[in-house]
Amino acid sequence: MNSQRRRVLAAGIAAAGVACAAVAFARTKEKVIRITARRFVFQPREIRLKKGVPVVLELVTADVVMGFNAPDFKVRADIIPGQAARVRMVPDKSGTFVFLCDVFCGDGHEGMSGQIHVVA
Ligand SMILES: [Cu+2]
């Protein structure tokens, strides 16, 4: 391998390294909020977000299959025991919005909800 080719190869490897670091940074930059569902509450019950700032919701269940639904932001996921469901959302409006469980999980399911407070 001649020295010029070696230099090009080294530059390529360096560039790939920078790209990987940028991706890792972009991933870790987004705040992850873990929400645990259990019959018949979400914990935390209230989350605070900033308008326009992406966030990842990590949803887990402590007992049965649940659903997470934030209709104002068109965000929903099934929450399966033993798995973490991840949904990304970017709140596009400020105010107080409801999220709820949309998978019947027993007597008490109807009252299973929480609030998302989005500030500008
Ligand atoms: Cu439910």
Side-chain angles (χ1 to χ4, degrees), residues 71-83:
D72 296 286
F73 300 102
K74 296 187 169 58
V75 169
R76 92 154 300 280
D78 289 318
I79 316 173
I80 310 294
Q83 297 177 21

Side-chain angles (χ1 to χ4, degrees), residues 40 65-67 101-106 108-110 112:
F40 298 96
V65 176
M66 302 283 189
C101 174
D102 66 357
V103 173
F104 183 77
C105 53
H109 160 78
E110 303 302 327
M112 196 172 161

Side-chain angles (χ1 to χ4, degrees), residues 33-106:
I33 298 176
R34 192 176 172 91
I35 300 175
T36 302
R38 60 166 52 86
R39 286 179 292 188
F40 298 96
V41 289
F42 286 104
Q43 282 176 323
R45 269 190 119 102
E46 298 188 15
I47 59 174
R48 279 164 207 288
L49 306 178
K50 276 194 173 162
K51 185 180 171 186
V53 178
V55 65
V56 174
L57 304 179
E58 189 175 77
L59 309 161
V60 295
T61 172
D63 39 50
V64 298
V65 176
M66 302 283 189
F68 177 92
N69 194 342
D72 296 286
F73 300 102
K74 296 187 169 58
V75 169
R76 92 154 300 280
D78 289 318
I79 316 173
I80 310 294
Q83 297 177 21
R86 285 184 151 226
V87 287
R88 183 178 186 269
M89 65 179 278
V90 185
D92 58 353
K93 49 197 162 228
S94 53
T96 297
F97 307 93
V98 168
F99 66 85
L100 46 89
C101 174
D102 66 357
V103 173
F104 183 77
C105 53

